[in-house]
Amino acid sequence: MTAGAAQHGRGDYVVDEATRQTVPSEPAWVGRVQLVSVGPPLRYVLVTATGYEWRARLGDVRPATVEERAEYDAALERRLRWLRELGRRLPGSCSA
């Protein structure tokens, strides 16, 4: 692979180490690759389990661990479950 070439593709779980904070302490964000922007510079477009989208430099990301992927999927499922429940409660909902 050439220097600067994307290593991750759409749907891959990655961790953006540039988002890690020491004060206040906050772990790096886990995101799923939505696309690789054409640049320059070449960047990943990532999305969190809550739907927040941001761009990350290729050198700042690493593959997510099994635990980080599981946490992402669980957070996404909680969010989707909440949205489905909200949809059922709205006036005029087909599933009310």
Side-chain angles (χ1 to χ4, degrees):
M1 181 170 299
T2 62
Q7 299 175 25
H8 305 286
R10 183 172 170 81
D12 288 350
Y13 295 80
V14 297
V15 177
D16 182 2
E17 290 294 340
T19 62
R20 184 179 304 278
Q21 290 185 191
T22 54
V23 178
S25 180
E26 182 177 324
W29 295 356
V30 177
R32 290 196 71 184
V33 176
Q34 296 304 297
L35 62 93
V36 179
S37 67
V38 293
L42 197 62
R43 292 184 184 266
Y44 292 112
V45 177
L46 307 175
V47 66
T48 66
T50 60
Y52 180 78
E53 185 178 282
W54 81 102
R55 285 161 179 69
R57 293 186 310 236
L58 276 59
D60 290 338
V61 300
R62 63 168 173 79
T65 65
V66 171
E67 293 82 13
E68 290 166 330
R69 292 191 306 266
E71 287 175 22
Y72 182 103
D73 288 341
L76 178 60
E77 182 52 39
R78 283 191 302 274
R79 179 173 172 255
L80 293 175
R81 190 172 36 246
W82 179 82
L83 289 171
R84 286 190 294 267
E85 180 61 28
L86 179 62
R88 283 192 284 275
R89 293 179 181 194
L90 290 174
S93 172
C94 295
S95 58

